[in-house]
Amino acid sequence: MKKITEIICVCCSNNCVVRVDETNHNAVSGNRCSNGEAYAIHELTNPKRQVNAELRIAGADVERIPVKTDRAVRLEHLDNILDVLKELHLEAPIYVSQVIVRDIAGTGANLVSCATVNKAAVTESSEQSIEP
């Protein structure tokens, strides 16, 4: 019995529906450019994604800071990475490209900041004066 997996290729703007026949040595059809075959095989055998998220940050003028992994990680590690992200508590200042978590969830990828967030400015109106 044939097992054919369909994958939408995102290598170029064609968005081909590529078919991989797993019963015929991963024979590929439906790709309109040369990248489609390699993409489909890789997506079927070793899918990876770069993780992008926003995390809460305390002591800043903004509530969230964008972060990402510095390399793609295997899809099977996403749940573990999300568990780590849920537990993070960041405090300003954070600088662009600063490593937030090294080797997140044992993947070999680092979680890095995508922006600089300074400490919130203290204004006179935000300072409380105590009268004697």
Side-chain angles (χ1 to χ4, degrees):
M1 177 172 209
K2 279 191 169 190
K3 180 174 180 191
I4 296 177
T5 302
E6 289 187 348
I7 297 170
I8 297 175
C9 181
V10 296
C11 288
C12 69
S13 60
N14 287 331
N15 292 325
C16 299
V17 177
V18 180
R19 289 167 206 78
V20 181
D21 184 350
E22 296 180 59
T23 56
N24 187 17
H25 305 290
N26 290 336
V28 176
S29 63
N31 53 306
R32 288 182 263 167
C33 77
S34 59
N35 295 323
E37 181 174 359
Y39 174 81
I41 298 296
H42 187 269
E43 191 65 16
L44 188 65
T45 60
N46 189 23
K48 293 183 178 183
R49 299 290 185 276
Q50 187 169 15
V51 177
N52 298 285
E54 286 188 342
L55 299 177
R56 290 190 180 122
I57 185 166
D61 289 331
V62 296
E63 293 182 16
R64 296 183 178 272
I65 185 169
V67 295
K68 67 177 183 175
T69 53
D70 62 359
R71 64 187 73 146
V73 295
R74 291 186 51 83
L75 289 181
E76 63 206 33
H77 296 297
L78 289 183
D79 286 340
N80 296 336
I81 291 171
L82 293 176
D83 289 342
V84 172
L85 294 178
K86 288 177 193 174
E87 299 299 319
L88 288 177
H89 300 283
L90 302 180
E91 185 110 9
I94 300 280
Y95 302 98
V96 70
S97 299
Q98 178 178 335
V99 175
I100 306 297
V101 178
R102 289 200 186 284
D103 189 23
I104 189 164
T107 61
N110 298 318
L111 184 71
V112 297
S113 168
C114 298
T116 294
V117 176
N118 295 312
K119 284 189 174 189
V122 178
T123 62
E124 287 184 36
S125 62
S126 66
E127 294 177 0
Q128 294 183 0
S129 58
I130 301 174
E131 294 185 28

mmCIF file of all heavy atoms in Angstrom, residues 79-106:
data_model
loop_
_atom_site.group_PDB
_atom_site.id
_atom_site.type_symbol
_atom_site.label_atom_id
_atom_site.label_comp_id
_atom_site.label_asym_id
_atom_site.label_seq_id
_atom_site.Cartn_x
_atom_site.Cartn_y
_atom_site.Cartn_z
ATOM 1 N N ASP A 79 7.630 21.471 22.867
ATOM 2 C CA ASP A 79 6.913 21.460 24.144
ATOM 3 C C ASP A 79 7.853 21.748 25.312
ATOM 4 O O ASP A 79 7.498 22.487 26.235
ATOM 5 C CB ASP A 79 6.200 20.125 24.363
ATOM 6 C CG ASP A 79 4.965 19.972 23.491
ATOM 7 O OD1 ASP A 79 4.440 20.997 23.008
ATOM 8 O OD2 ASP A 79 4.532 18.823 23.272
ATOM 9 N N ASN A 80 9.054 21.175 25.284
ATOM 10 C CA ASN A 80 10.021 21.420 26.351
ATOM 11 C C ASN A 80 10.457 22.886 26.377
ATOM 12 O O ASN A 80 10.613 23.484 27.439
ATOM 13 C CB ASN A 80 11.244 20.518 26.198
ATOM 14 C CG ASN A 80 10.886 19.053 26.341
ATOM 15 O OD1 ASN A 80 9.894 18.698 26.954
ATOM 16 N ND2 ASN A 80 11.700 18.206 25.756
ATOM 17 N N ILE A 81 10.644 23.468 25.198
ATOM 18 C CA ILE A 81 11.030 24.876 25.116
ATOM 19 C C ILE A 81 9.906 25.750 25.652
ATOM 20 O O ILE A 81 10.151 26.699 26.422
ATOM 21 C CB ILE A 81 11.400 25.259 23.670
ATOM 22 C CG1 ILE A 81 12.709 24.570 23.279
ATOM 23 C CG2 ILE A 81 11.519 26.771 23.511
ATOM 24 C CD1 ILE A 81 13.073 24.700 21.816
ATOM 25 N N LEU A 82 8.674 25.443 25.283
ATOM 26 C CA LEU A 82 7.537 26.228 25.779
ATOM 27 C C LEU A 82 7.418 26.142 27.295
ATOM 28 O O LEU A 82 7.079 27.137 27.948
ATOM 29 C CB LEU A 82 6.246 25.772 25.112
ATOM 30 C CG LEU A 82 6.144 26.066 23.614
ATOM 31 C CD1 LEU A 82 4.861 25.483 23.043
ATOM 32 C CD2 LEU A 82 6.244 27.543 23.327
ATOM 33 N N ASP A 83 7.713 24.988 27.875
ATOM 34 C CA ASP A 83 7.706 24.857 29.337
ATOM 35 C C ASP A 83 8.726 25.794 29.977
ATOM 36 O O ASP A 83 8.448 26.422 30.997
ATOM 37 C CB ASP A 83 7.984 23.412 29.754
ATOM 38 C CG ASP A 83 6.823 22.472 29.446
ATOM 39 O OD1 ASP A 83 5.695 22.963 29.224
ATOM 40 O OD2 ASP A 83 7.075 21.242 29.407
ATOM 41 N N VAL A 84 9.907 25.904 29.371
ATOM 42 C CA VAL A 84 10.938 26.815 29.888
ATOM 43 C C VAL A 84 10.471 28.267 29.748
ATOM 44 O O VAL A 84 10.605 29.066 30.680
ATOM 45 C CB VAL A 84 12.285 26.612 29.159
ATOM 46 C CG1 VAL A 84 13.292 27.676 29.556
ATOM 47 C CG2 VAL A 84 12.838 25.222 29.441
ATOM 48 N N LEU A 85 9.897 28.610 28.604
ATOM 49 C CA LEU A 85 9.444 29.982 28.373
ATOM 50 C C LEU A 85 8.393 30.406 29.385
ATOM 51 O O LEU A 85 8.390 31.553 29.855
ATOM 52 C CB LEU A 85 8.886 30.137 26.953
ATOM 53 C CG LEU A 85 9.866 29.989 25.802
ATOM 54 C CD1 LEU A 85 9.143 30.132 24.471
ATOM 55 C CD2 LEU A 85 11.003 30.980 25.908
ATOM 56 N N LYS A 86 7.493 29.502 29.754
ATOM 57 C CA LYS A 86 6.425 29.809 30.717
ATOM 58 C C LYS A 86 6.983 30.192 32.085
ATOM 59 O O LYS A 86 6.359 30.945 32.824
ATOM 60 C CB LYS A 86 5.490 28.617 30.874
ATOM 61 C CG LYS A 86 4.616 28.372 29.692
ATOM 62 C CD LYS A 86 3.786 27.119 29.911
ATOM 63 C CE LYS A 86 3.127 26.653 28.638
ATOM 64 N NZ LYS A 86 2.442 25.372 28.796
ATOM 65 N N GLU A 87 8.147 29.664 32.424
ATOM 66 C CA GLU A 87 8.723 29.888 33.751
ATOM 67 C C GLU A 87 9.654 31.097 33.831
ATOM 68 O O GLU A 87 10.103 31.462 34.906
ATOM 69 C CB GLU A 87 9.476 28.637 34.209
ATOM 70 C CG GLU A 87 8.595 27.406 34.328
ATOM 71 C CD GLU A 87 7.472 27.570 35.338
ATOM 72 O OE1 GLU A 87 7.720 28.154 36.416
ATOM 73 O OE2 GLU A 87 6.338 27.136 35.032
ATOM 74 N N LEU A 88 9.963 31.705 32.703
ATOM 75 C CA LEU A 88 10.925 32.813 32.697
ATOM 76 C C LEU A 88 10.318 34.093 33.245
ATOM 77 O O LEU A 88 9.183 34.448 32.932
ATOM 78 C CB LEU A 88 11.445 33.070 31.280
ATOM 79 C CG LEU A 88 12.406 32.035 30.723
ATOM 80 C CD1 LEU A 88 12.774 32.379 29.290
ATOM 81 C CD2 LEU A 88 13.658 31.945 31.577
ATOM 82 N N HIS A 89 11.111 34.787 34.065
ATOM 83 C CA HIS A 89 10.732 36.094 34.597
ATOM 84 C C HIS A 89 11.894 37.040 34.296
ATOM 85 O O HIS A 89 12.959 36.922 34.913
ATOM 86 C CB HIS A 89 10.486 36.013 36.107
ATOM 87 C CG HIS A 89 9.387 35.053 36.467
ATOM 88 N ND1 HIS A 89 8.059 35.374 36.317
ATOM 89 C CD2 HIS A 89 9.424 33.792 36.941
ATOM 90 C CE1 HIS A 89 7.315 34.342 36.697
ATOM 91 N NE2 HIS A 89 8.136 33.367 37.075
ATOM 92 N N LEU A 90 11.699 37.942 33.349
ATOM 93 C CA LEU A 90 12.766 38.850 32.932
ATOM 94 C C LEU A 90 12.625 40.194 33.607
ATOM 95 O O LEU A 90 11.530 40.649 33.921
ATOM 96 C CB LEU A 90 12.737 39.031 31.414
ATOM 97 C CG LEU A 90 12.872 37.759 30.580
ATOM 98 C CD1 LEU A 90 12.834 38.095 29.100
ATOM 99 C CD2 LEU A 90 14.143 37.014 30.928
ATOM 100 N N GLU A 91 13.753 40.842 33.795
ATOM 101 C CA GLU A 91 13.806 42.164 34.412
ATOM 102 C C GLU A 91 14.664 43.061 33.538
ATOM 103 O O GLU A 91 15.721 42.657 33.074
ATOM 104 C CB GLU A 91 14.420 42.024 35.809
ATOM 105 C CG GLU A 91 14.416 43.277 36.589
ATOM 106 C CD GLU A 91 13.445 43.242 37.758
ATOM 107 O OE1 GLU A 91 12.889 42.175 38.059
ATOM 108 O OE2 GLU A 91 13.276 44.289 38.357
ATOM 109 N N ALA A 92 14.188 44.269 33.314
ATOM 110 C CA ALA A 92 14.943 45.251 32.517
ATOM 111 C C ALA A 92 16.181 45.667 33.296
ATOM 112 O O ALA A 92 16.176 45.654 34.517
ATOM 113 C CB ALA A 92 14.066 46.450 32.206
ATOM 114 N N PRO A 93 17.265 46.003 32.614
ATOM 115 C CA PRO A 93 17.425 46.118 31.171
ATOM 116 C C PRO A 93 17.813 44.783 30.518
ATOM 117 O O PRO A 93 18.460 43.945 31.128
ATOM 118 C CB PRO A 93 18.572 47.116 31.028
ATOM 119 C CG PRO A 93 19.435 46.849 32.221
ATOM 120 C CD PRO A 93 18.462 46.480 33.324
ATOM 121 N N ILE A 94 17.402 44.635 29.271
ATOM 122 C CA ILE A 94 17.791 43.517 28.412
ATOM 123 C C ILE A 94 18.266 44.136 27.105
ATOM 124 O O ILE A 94 17.670 45.090 26.614
ATOM 125 C CB ILE A 94 16.606 42.564 28.130
ATOM 126 C CG1 ILE A 94 16.042 41.973 29.418
ATOM 127 C CG2 ILE A 94 16.996 41.474 27.139
ATOM 128 C CD1 ILE A 94 16.816 40.814 29.998
ATOM 129 N N TYR A 95 19.320 43.592 26.532
ATOM 130 C CA TYR A 95 19.911 44.172 25.320
ATOM 131 C C TYR A 95 19.728 43.246 24.125
ATOM 132 O O TYR A 95 19.686 42.028 24.283
ATOM 133 C CB TYR A 95 21.394 44.479 25.556
ATOM 134 C CG TYR A 95 21.567 45.416 26.724
ATOM 135 C CD1 TYR A 95 21.890 44.928 27.982
ATOM 136 C CD2 TYR A 95 21.339 46.779 26.579
ATOM 137 C CE1 TYR A 95 22.006 45.777 29.063
ATOM 138 C CE2 TYR A 95 21.441 47.635 27.658
ATOM 139 C CZ TYR A 95 21.777 47.127 28.899
ATOM 140 O OH TYR A 95 21.872 47.982 29.967
ATOM 141 N N VAL A 96 19.642 43.836 22.939
ATOM 142 C CA VAL A 96 19.464 43.054 21.720
ATOM 143 C C VAL A 96 20.586 42.025 21.601
ATOM 144 O O VAL A 96 21.735 42.300 21.952
ATOM 145 C CB VAL A 96 19.372 43.967 20.466
ATOM 146 C CG1 VAL A 96 20.693 44.619 20.148
ATOM 147 C CG2 VAL A 96 18.868 43.200 19.262
ATOM 148 N N SER A 97 20.256 40.836 21.200
ATOM 149 C CA SER A 97 21.168 39.693 21.042
ATOM 150 C C SER A 97 21.698 39.138 22.362
ATOM 151 O O SER A 97 22.553 38.260 22.352
ATOM 152 C CB SER A 97 22.337 40.035 20.118
ATOM 153 O OG SER A 97 21.852 40.376 18.840
ATOM 154 N N GLN A 98 21.197 39.630 23.479
ATOM 155 C CA GLN A 98 21.619 39.098 24.780
ATOM 156 C C GLN A 98 21.077 37.673 24.927
ATOM 157 O O GLN A 98 19.924 37.398 24.616
ATOM 158 C CB GLN A 98 21.071 39.978 25.908
ATOM 159 C CG GLN A 98 21.420 39.489 27.297
ATOM 160 C CD GLN A 98 20.894 40.416 28.382
ATOM 161 O OE1 GLN A 98 20.684 41.601 28.145
ATOM 162 N NE2 GLN A 98 20.675 39.873 29.566
ATOM 163 N N VAL A 99 21.920 36.769 25.378
ATOM 164 C CA VAL A 99 21.479 35.395 25.612
ATOM 165 C C VAL A 99 20.649 35.376 26.893
ATOM 166 O O VAL A 99 21.126 35.748 27.959
ATOM 167 C CB VAL A 99 22.676 34.427 25.702
ATOM 168 C CG1 VAL A 99 22.200 33.029 26.073
ATOM 169 C CG2 VAL A 99 23.442 34.399 24.384
ATOM 170 N N ILE A 100 19.415 34.942 26.754
ATOM 171 C CA ILE A 100 18.498 34.847 27.891
ATOM 172 C C ILE A 100 18.631 33.477 28.549
ATOM 173 O O ILE A 100 18.690 33.362 29.765
ATOM 174 C CB ILE A 100 17.036 35.076 27.438
ATOM 175 C CG1 ILE A 100 16.890 36.391 26.665
ATOM 176 C CG2 ILE A 100 16.078 35.007 28.605
ATOM 177 C CD1 ILE A 100 17.185 37.639 27.428
ATOM 178 N N VAL A 101 18.664 32.415 27.727
ATOM 179 C CA VAL A 101 18.835 31.038 28.218
ATOM 180 C C VAL A 101 19.798 30.324 27.282
ATOM 181 O O VAL A 101 19.554 30.235 26.083
ATOM 182 C CB VAL A 101 17.490 30.270 28.250
ATOM 183 C CG1 VAL A 101 17.702 28.833 28.728
ATOM 184 C CG2 VAL A 101 16.464 30.980 29.106
ATOM 185 N N ARG A 102 20.883 29.818 27.835
ATOM 186 C CA ARG A 102 21.831 29.022 27.043
ATOM 187 C C ARG A 102 21.320 27.590 26.932
ATOM 188 O O ARG A 102 20.792 27.035 27.891
ATOM 189 C CB ARG A 102 23.202 29.005 27.704
ATOM 190 C CG ARG A 102 23.913 30.311 27.625
ATOM 191 C CD ARG A 102 25.415 30.148 27.841
ATOM 192 N NE ARG A 102 26.044 31.449 27.887
ATOM 193 C CZ ARG A 102 26.291 32.200 26.825
ATOM 194 N NH1 ARG A 102 25.951 31.776 25.638
ATOM 195 N NH2 ARG A 102 26.853 33.385 26.944
ATOM 196 N N ASP A 103 21.475 26.993 25.750
ATOM 197 C CA ASP A 103 21.116 25.597 25.515
ATOM 198 C C ASP A 103 19.709 25.301 26.029
ATOM 199 O O ASP A 103 19.501 24.394 26.826
ATOM 200 C CB ASP A 103 22.150 24.680 26.174
ATOM 201 C CG ASP A 103 21.964 23.218 25.794
ATOM 202 O OD1 ASP A 103 21.369 22.945 24.735
ATOM 203 O OD2 ASP A 103 22.410 22.350 26.580
ATOM 204 N N ILE A 104 18.741 26.070 25.553
ATOM 205 C CA ILE A 104 17.368 25.955 26.056
ATOM 206 C C ILE A 104 16.830 24.540 25.862
ATOM 207 O O ILE A 104 16.915 23.963 24.774
ATOM 208 C CB ILE A 104 16.438 27.017 25.411
ATOM 209 C CG1 ILE A 104 15.085 27.026 26.113
ATOM 210 C CG2 ILE A 104 16.329 26.846 23.920
ATOM 211 C CD1 ILE A 104 14.249 28.238 25.842
ATOM 212 N N ALA A 105 16.363 23.969 26.938
ATOM 213 C CA ALA A 105 15.765 22.625 26.974
ATOM 214 C C ALA A 105 16.691 21.563 26.383
ATOM 215 O O ALA A 105 16.237 20.582 25.813
ATOM 216 C CB ALA A 105 14.413 22.622 26.261
ATOM 217 N N GLY A 106 18.002 21.783 26.486
ATOM 218 C CA GLY A 106 18.968 20.794 26.012
ATOM 219 C C GLY A 106 19.031 20.650 24.503
ATOM 220 O O GLY A 106 19.477 19.628 24.000
#
